[in-house]
Amino acid sequence: MDRNGCDTRNDILARDLTGETFKPGTRDCVVATGILADKYTGATIRFVRGPDSSSAVQIDHIVPLSLAWQTGAQQFSAEQRKQFANDPLNLMAADGAANSAKGDSDAASWLPPNKSFRCEYTARMTAVKARYKLWVTQPERDAIQRVLATCA
């Protein structure tokens, strides 16, 4: 989305990993290796590009695409859908297993196991929903309020 010639996955990996290296000949577009300080779990994950290892670090939509669709995105134009799907505010490199466990859940159904990240996670989810005018169910609103009430 930033027109730098790199795809969104690699942009987010480059943003969220430290010590990253790039595949030669890609103009620093394809992340080959790096370290993720995973916010969902608090674990440190070594990322190595490859068919058997890349899935250890996934790019998560903080507001999942399916959840967005159910809460207003079905009204988006094709361009708005593309913008939403690639918005860096809504994207984060994350532990693959934690991202899979989250699935399409909202804040009422899933929160990061790393409790110290819950405030930032919930604030980002809320900011994304506000930016795109997506609605919030009552259980989700209650969960968001509960989390945000504990934040500094």
Side-chain angles (χ1 to χ4, degrees):
M1 289 301 291
D2 60 10
R3 305 195 191 291
N4 65 356
C6 305
D7 65 38
T8 302
R9 174 177 169 74
N10 282 291
D11 278 343
I12 299 304
L13 287 171
R15 181 193 73 187
D16 292 356
L17 300 178
T18 58
E20 64 272 3
T21 64
F22 296 90
K23 185 176 175 183
T26 65
R27 290 176 298 198
D28 290 348
C29 270
V30 178
V31 177
T33 64
I35 306 294
L36 176 66
D38 181 56
K39 292 182 176 187
Y40 283 170
T41 63
T44 299
I45 303 168
R46 292 190 176 282
F47 173 80
V48 178
R49 179 169 301 281
D52 298 326
S53 57
S54 289
S55 63
V57 175
Q58 298 177 3
I59 305 303
D60 180 41
H61 287 90
I62 293 174
V63 175
L65 298 177
S66 175
L67 176 62
W69 187 262
Q70 295 168 43
T71 58
Q74 75 275 11
Q75 304 298 324
F76 289 178
S77 67
E79 182 58 33
Q80 287 171 310
R81 284 188 205 123
K82 183 178 176 184
Q83 185 178 14
F84 178 82
N86 292 283
D87 187 336
L89 179 64
N90 192 36
L91 295 171
M92 185 179 79
D95 173 78
N99 185 38
S100 294
K102 174 188 168 191
D104 294 332
S105 298
D106 65 13
S109 303
W110 187 89
L111 289 170
N114 178 9
K115 291 180 181 180
S116 68
F117 181 63
R118 288 181 178 178
C119 287
E120 181 183 340
Y121 172 80
T122 305
R124 279 181 72 177
M125 179 176 269
T126 302
V128 169
K129 285 197 160 225
R131 175 180 284 178
Y132 291 94
K133 297 177 176 59
L134 300 172
W135 62 77
V136 178
T137 66
Q138 189 62 50
E140 183 181 17
R141 181 175 185 218
D142 293 345
I144 288 168
Q145 286 179 327
R146 256 191 321 276
V147 170
L148 294 180
T150 69
C151 302

